[in-house]
Amino acid sequence: MVSGTTAPFTWSDLESSAFARLPELHKVVAAAGADLDRTKTRWDHALAAGWLVFLFAPLALPLLAILAVKDEDAAIPLLAAIGLICAVHIALRAKEWQRTRTSGPRVSPQEVVLAAFEAAFATVSAAICAVAATVTASPGRWLACAGQVAVAAVCVVSIRVAKQAAARGVPTFLRPAFEDVMALISELDEHDRTTVHADLDLALTRLADAGVINQSQLDEAHRAPLGSLARRLWALERSPARQAR
């Protein structure tokens, strides 16, 4: 259970190793532990913020199109901004379809409403660019028009994909890995429970003897219900009382 490698000790690794005899459960426990151990970086937060910006960005397309038509001097950068919004939004929608079709969560009813509004706004904006392009010949305006028509189309497809997924019973969110762990553990027979407990107790004893964990941690680990050891110790070590010491 306790190896001689120099890899840092984590409660999630310890817990998942106790289920090594049960491959399906071991995989789910390891996934739940990975969720605990992963720390979001500034880059992760920046990507999440950027995703939200480009998800809602099509709502601003009509305003950008009007400004591009009214101000000839600012037309090129504004049309470029429209093109960027269109390209990124199409990519986001394509990723959304892939996620839904590969057992991921489908979009929520609120997101379906958003897609409907975006399709309408993109259509209006495309019409503005098309009318302006017929008055004053401009390849950039025609390209912007085409891009916005594409955005409207992918939004309509997203609505259809969401409705089909809803009809198949695809949920709007993934069940946390920890819930999967507890569901599978509830199905274990007494022999498997005893075996896992024995493996955990042996590993904990060795870690305590080696000075890797202290007596307080050992006691808390022994009190943790099967399958929740890593989560219990993770929460304890990040509690305000512990952090203040």
Side-chain angles (χ1 to χ4, degrees):
M1 293 291 296
V2 181
S3 66
T5 65
T6 58
F9 165 76
T10 64
W11 292 105
S12 54
D13 286 342
L14 169 66
E15 185 166 45
S16 64
S17 65
F19 292 90
R21 305 169 189 265
L22 307 167
E24 181 182 359
L25 191 47
H26 175 264
K27 181 179 179 180
V28 178
V29 173
D35 287 344
L36 285 179
D37 293 335
R38 185 173 182 273
T39 301
K40 286 191 175 182
T41 64
R42 290 182 180 179
W43 177 245
D44 292 322
H45 291 298
L47 285 177
W51 182 86
L52 283 175
V53 168
F54 280 104
L55 181 63
F56 284 87
L59 299 178
L61 288 175
L63 175 60
L64 294 175
I66 291 172
L67 292 175
V69 171
K70 284 188 171 183
D71 189 346
E72 289 290 340
D73 294 333
I76 292 178
L78 286 170
L79 291 174
I82 289 173
L84 177 62
I85 290 173
C86 292
V88 177
H89 193 78
I90 291 170
L92 288 177
R93 290 295 180 182
K95 188 174 182 180
E96 177 186 285
W97 305 338
Q98 182 184 27
R99 181 193 69 199
T100 303
R101 290 169 177 166
T102 56
S103 302
R106 65 177 174 85
V107 298
S108 66
Q110 293 81 4
E111 290 173 311
V112 170
V113 172
L114 175 62
F117 273 101
E118 289 175 338
F121 277 51
T123 300
V124 169
S125 185
I128 293 171
C129 288
V131 170
T134 58
V135 174
T136 303
S138 170
R141 287 174 180 170
W142 282 118
L143 286 174
C145 177
Q148 289 168 118
V149 168
V151 167
V154 298
C155 286
V156 171
V157 172
S158 287
I159 295 170
R160 182 173 177 79
V161 169
K163 289 183 176 179
Q164 291 175 340
R168 298 197 307 270
V170 178
T172 57
F173 62 92
L174 286 178
R175 187 166 72 166
F178 179 67
E179 292 185 15
D180 289 333
V181 170
M182 301 314 295
L184 289 172
I185 286 178
S186 68
E187 300 172 0
L188 288 179
D189 58 36
E190 192 59 34
H191 175 266
D192 286 335
R193 286 176 177 273
T194 301
T195 299
V196 173
H197 270 301
D199 286 346
L200 271 175
D201 288 342
L202 176 60
L204 289 167
T205 299
R206 290 182 177 177
L207 288 168
D209 291 343
V212 177
I213 62 175
N214 57 38
Q215 187 61 43
S216 175
Q217 291 172 313
L218 179 62
D219 293 340
E220 286 292 339
H222 281 309
R223 284 193 286 267
L226 191 63
S228 62
L229 183 151
R231 185 168 292 267
R232 183 186 183 101
L233 272 295
W234 182 90
L236 177 68
E237 292 174 357
R238 286 160 178 76
S239 66
R242 176 63 63 87
Q243 295 295 327
R245 293 179 184 177

